[in-house]
Amino acid sequence: MTITAQEAEPYIELNGVRKGFKFGTEGISIFSDLNLSIARGDFVAVMGPSGSGKSTLLNILSGIDSPDAGKVRIGKSHLDRMGESARSSWRAHNMGIVFQFYNLLPMLNTAQNVELPLLLKPLTRRQRSARVDTVLDLVGLNGRQKQYPNRMSGGQQQRVGIARAIVADPGLLLCDEPTGDLDRKSANDILEMLGFLNRELNKTIVMVTHDPEAARFARRTLHLDKGTFIEQGMDSQ
Amino acid sequence: MSSQFKQTFVMIRANLGSLPRRAWISLSMVLSVALVVSVLIGFLSMAKGFETALASAGSASVAIIFGGGTNQEIGSDIPPEMIRNLKASKGDTGIARDANGDLIVSRETLVPVDVRRLADGADQALALRGMDPAGPSLRDGAALSGGRLFAPGSREIVVGKRIASEFAGFDIGDKVRLGPLDWTVAGHFAAGGSAFESEIWADMEAVQSAFDRQGQVQTVRVRLDGPAGLKTLQAVLAASSGTPIVAMPEVDFYVSQSERISSLIRLFGWPIALLMAIGATAGALNTMMSSVSDRSVEIATVRTLGFSRFAAFSATWVEAMLMSLVGTCTGAIASWLVFNGWQASTLGANNTQMAFQLSVTTDLMLQASLLGLAIGIVGGALPAFAATRLPLASALRNSG
Ligand SMILES: Nc1ncnc2c1ncn2[C@@H]1O[C@H](COP(=O)(O)OP(=O)(O)OP(=O)(O)O)[C@@H](O)[C@H]1O
Ligand SMILES: [Mg+2]
């Protein structure tokens, strides 16, 4: 055994996760015993039929929802043992989230939207605006700082969304159908960008998608159905 | 700037930016706050104006003597022998004397009379005051503004300017029917807008005989002989009479009069304004709840980015406070423009009409404004709390 314990340990680990929702008196079970490991630097696509619990899985990973039972560990943090506000600040420092419908604030311009996560950090206005400019450059939106979301195409808005997700330089990106609302061309641009962030900046990415084409940009694809994963490794083919 | 403030600040900016999406309900909150504030200012300025009118009527160097155990004009009764004794007394009574060495006193009696008003033809009760010739000179702020005083023993009247302008047939030389008989208007007097201007003055004996009140004296008004006069007078009265007789400075009398009426106005005003404020608070709560649900995706988004509950709370609360602030300013400015200096009249002392001006002062605007702001503070608190409890996962599910 030459590999140290730390290297052997996966970056993300779900163990025996159980999650259900209550509808009045009836309850539905989404996962009864979900297990998952993701290595640091991986790019994982999660596919599966509608209602299979893909978004629920991302919510558990991001800590905006908590499992009914089981362990959720990301890096050294055990999310299942943390309170709501601890998870909230953990999220601010460790992950970026990309939404299907971008979720930009319509009354803030591009730069202000991208700046939001930086307001949680002890940075000066100058430092913040330099960081914003850098990531806008990275997503190809340099010069659009003052533009408002409603004046942009879907693809551009999603690039703002990605800029916002990476501006605080988190190690992990969670994307819930980031291309679900885009045409093929814009979708491919976004996926290229995610691939770039994974390869060049070593971001670990978990992306939920319905689109098999999108899944091809990932290193690894998981199929979620009836509460369990069926893996299809793209690399191994 | 701490991170919490930066978060709150940007959320407030986003909030206010999204106000046009809920313009109508926000406007309704602003208007209901404005309404509460104006109603309260209306009542308070009425009370204030009433106080001002009465307080400026009184003088410290004039005293009023009441008999019969009261310090109101109605119900007061001065026994005739008391006046005789006082006039006969050679020593110091505390009362000033005129050039002839006679005491400056005026026996007075008030009779309510019905008079028809110009504007609406309605009958109004006015105060007809019978007084001795010294009476007019015992009103320090009052002066003839036209004509002359009533002649002793004649059925002539002088009327306050306000009455002359508000009621028909009070021009100089006009004949007016007061009670069973006609009276001639001999003159007009002005008294700086004070309560006196709402009175009609006539000769004491003429009033007594016209209204069948021979020998009846309600009060005696006297000019005091210097600052020590009141003490001397009170001592003399206490020594000389069996029945309880009190003397009080005219200014005290009017202040006590105004206190009763103005506190009555406030007693009505505050509960009405408070009830309206409770209604407005419920409205504010509703407005802010819909603001939270309107902004739920945005709130959930920034909370997902790591924004604190504190920021979600304070941004919502500040929105409520800002709207109530706008409402408060609107209400205060509008009521200042409308109410300040507005002529009003009410039943004054002795069940007679008294005219006065509403007076919107800064301190009562402040009181009403605090109530207006309280609506936002109270009505916004619960929705602000609700904003912190927003379930993020389900709020984001609706973002499509
Ligand atoms: N907050 C919630 N309250 C009640 N039920 C919920 C909640 N969130 C999810 N569900 C239910 O859990 C199941 C899984 O939902 P989830 O959104 O995770 O599915 P999904 O795989 O993302 O579906 P889609 O592909 O349509 O986005 C669904 O049946 C959904 O109705
Ligand atoms: Mg989903």
Side-chain angles (χ1 to χ4, degrees):
Chain A
M1 282 271 170
T2 51
I3 303 170
T4 65
Q6 238 179 347
E7 280 174 303
E9 201 175 58
Y11 178 46
I12 298 176
E13 196 166 25
L14 262 58
N15 231 314
V17 165
R18 179 155 62 78
K19 180 72 185 174
F21 291 104
K22 277 215 171 67
F23 288 104
T25 51
E26 290 199 18
I28 53 159
S29 169
I30 311 296
F31 316 122
S32 52
D33 178 19
L34 192 70
N35 300 292
L36 171 68
S37 323
I38 295 172
R40 193 184 289 277
D42 208 348
F43 184 168
V44 178
V46 178
M47 300 189 71
S50 183
S52 57
K54 304 183 295 295
S55 297
T56 304
L57 169 69
L58 283 197
N59 289 343
I60 288 173
L61 287 177
S62 66
I64 69 175
D65 210 342
S66 49
D68 298 336
K71 294 198 172 100
V72 181
R73 182 187 57 77
I74 300 178
K76 288 188 165 49
S77 306
H78 295 266
L79 263 60
D80 52 288
R81 295 183 208 158
M82 287 157 58
E84 210 279 342
S85 61
R87 291 200 305 258
S88 172
S89 88
W90 181 87
R91 200 156 56 227
H93 293 95
N94 296 282
M95 70 170 60
I97 299 178
V98 180
F99 303 89
Q100 175 174 359
F101 299 103
Y102 332 125
N103 288 28
L104 305 177
L105 303 206
M107 22 332 180
L108 302 183
N109 66 28
T110 298
Q112 290 164 339
N113 265 294
V114 174
E115 191 191 18
L116 290 172
L118 297 181
L119 297 176
L120 307 169
K121 310 219 153 200
L123 297 174
T124 64
R125 178 188 288 266
R126 256 231 173 79
Q127 291 168 318
R128 293 201 301 269
S129 108
R131 293 277 281 275
V132 168
D133 290 348
T134 308
V135 291
L136 282 180
D137 206 21
L138 202 66
V139 300
L141 287 177
N142 208 347
R144 303 228 183 220
Q145 275 81 344
K146 294 257 142 52
Q147 207 163 8
Y148 281 81
N150 60 0
R151 311 294 299 269
M152 295 177 140
S153 71
Q156 287 170 329
Q157 290 190 53
Q158 193 58 298
R159 283 194 262 165
V160 177
I162 289 173
R164 182 177 65 187
I166 61 174
V167 72
D169 200 21
L172 175 62
L173 286 185
L174 301 181
C175 314
D176 196 348
E177 305 197 29
T179 58
D181 213 38
L182 300 177
D183 59 74
R184 187 74 263 156
K185 163 93 180 59
S186 311
N188 285 346
D189 287 350
I190 293 296
L191 292 162
E192 301 265 8
M193 194 168 292
L194 292 177
F196 169 85
L197 293 172
N198 173 249
R199 278 191 316 273
E200 308 299 325
L201 301 180
N202 202 31
K203 307 281 183 208
T204 308
I205 298 179
V206 181
M207 173 179 77
V208 164
T209 184
H210 270 123
D211 175 12
E213 294 243 353
R216 241 184 280 147
F217 285 79
R219 294 173 193 264
R220 193 178 151 204
T221 300
L222 298 173
H223 281 274
L224 187 59
D225 201 3
K226 303 197 177 69
T228 45
F229 285 118
I230 311 151
E231 182 150 2
Q232 285 185 348
M234 300 302 285
D235 290 346
S236 57
Q237 284 184 353
Chain B
M1 212 171 27
S2 95
S3 167
Q4 292 292 351
F5 280 107
K6 281 186 284 194
Q7 294 172 41
T8 304
F9 192 74
V10 75
M11 279 189 83
I12 291 171
R13 192 157 72 187
N15 261 7
L16 298 185
S18 67
L19 267 179
R21 293 201 310 239
R22 41 186 194 281
W24 289 110
I25 193 160
S26 304
L27 195 69
S28 81
M29 172 172 166
V30 167
L31 287 183
S32 62
V33 171
L35 200 65
V36 169
V37 169
S38 350
V39 164
L40 186 57
I41 289 182
F43 276 110
L44 293 181
S45 65
M46 198 182 283
K48 191 80 192 173
F50 193 79
E51 279 172 354
T52 312
L54 281 176
S56 59
S59 157
S61 67
V62 170
I64 307 176
I65 303 174
F66 300 93
T70 175
N71 51 8
Q72 303 297 320
E73 292 198 88
I74 296 288
S76 169
D77 178 43
I78 306 283
E81 69 273 13
M82 193 223 87
I83 302 166
R84 265 199 308 278
N85 291 346
L86 211 55
K87 283 192 168 167
S89 131
K90 289 279 169 278
D92 184 12
T93 54
I95 302 172
R97 291 176 187 276
D98 63 14
N100 302 328
D102 293 330
L103 293 176
I104 305 175
V105 299
S106 166
R107 300 165 303 148
E108 307 196 343
T109 198
L110 267 182
V111 183
V113 289
D114 279 342
V115 177
R116 182 147 299 167
R117 191 160 60 194
L118 261 185
D120 51 10
D123 275 350
Q124 295 279 331
L126 290 180
L128 171 65
R129 184 184 290 276
M131 51 172 66
D132 282 331
S137 74
L138 286 165
R139 268 77 189 174
D140 280 351
L144 271 182
S145 61
R148 55 170 176 79
L149 285 174
F150 51 84
S154 70
R155 275 209 313 279
E156 290 180 341
I157 53 174
V158 290
V159 301
K161 260 174 61 175
R162 193 163 260 151
I163 292 181
S165 64
E166 233 179 276
F167 294 87
F170 281 95
D171 292 335
I172 293 167
D174 282 356
K175 279 204 185 310
V176 194
R177 177 164 287 255
L178 301 176
L181 299 165
D182 282 343
W183 299 69
T184 307
V185 179
H188 291 164
F189 67 90
S194 77
F196 291 135
E197 274 189 19
S198 299
E199 289 187 352
I200 303 173
W201 294 344
D203 178 70
M204 181 65 175
E205 260 96 35
V207 170
Q208 282 176 333
S209 69
F211 292 89
D212 205 16
R213 299 187 176 193
Q214 273 84 1
Q216 224 180 17
V217 176
Q218 280 180 336
T219 56
V220 175
R221 203 171 280 249
V222 306
R223 177 156 311 275
L224 293 169
D225 189 14
L230 183 69
K231 281 246 145 50
T232 317
L233 176 62
Q234 282 167 337
V236 168
L237 290 174
S240 72
S241 168
T243 56
I245 303 279
V246 290
M248 69 159 75
E250 186 189 47
V251 62
D252 289 6
F253 171 66
Y254 281 118
V255 168
S256 73
Q257 284 287 310
S258 72
E259 270 168 5
R260 282 175 45 231
I261 305 265
S262 58
S263 65
L264 201 68
I265 297 174
R266 290 195 182 99
L267 208 66
F268 276 108
W270 271 106
I272 290 173
L274 284 176
L275 280 176
M276 289 179 64
I278 291 171
T281 304
L285 194 114
N286 184 37
T287 302
M288 293 313 300
M289 279 299 187
S290 61
S291 162
V292 170
S293 88
D294 176 52
R295 292 182 293 114
S296 63
V297 172
E298 286 146 39
I299 296 171
T301 301
V302 295
R303 293 265 297 117
T304 301
L305 298 179
F307 274 45
S308 67
R309 286 196 154 133
F310 173 84
F313 179 88
S314 44
T316 306
W317 213 20
V318 166
E319 178 185 334
M321 288 190 232
L322 284 179
M323 284 204 289
S324 67
L325 182 69
V326 173
T328 297
C329 292
T330 310
I333 292 170
S335 47
W336 189 80
L337 290 176
V338 174
F339 294 144
N340 199 30
W342 196 28
Q343 298 286 338
S345 62
T346 181
L347 283 186
N350 315 314
N351 277 333
T352 52
Q353 198 68 19
M354 201 200 98
F356 61 93
Q357 288 191 336
L358 266 63
S359 146
V360 180
T361 60
T362 39
D363 75 314
L364 67 84
M365 285 220 276
L366 207 70
Q367 287 179 44
S369 298
L370 287 179
L371 182 66
L373 294 179
I375 294 171
I377 292 171
V378 175
L382 197 65
F385 184 72
T388 70
R389 297 285 129 183
L390 202 68
L392 302 186
S394 30
L396 289 173
R397 282 168 68 82
N398 302 327
S399 61

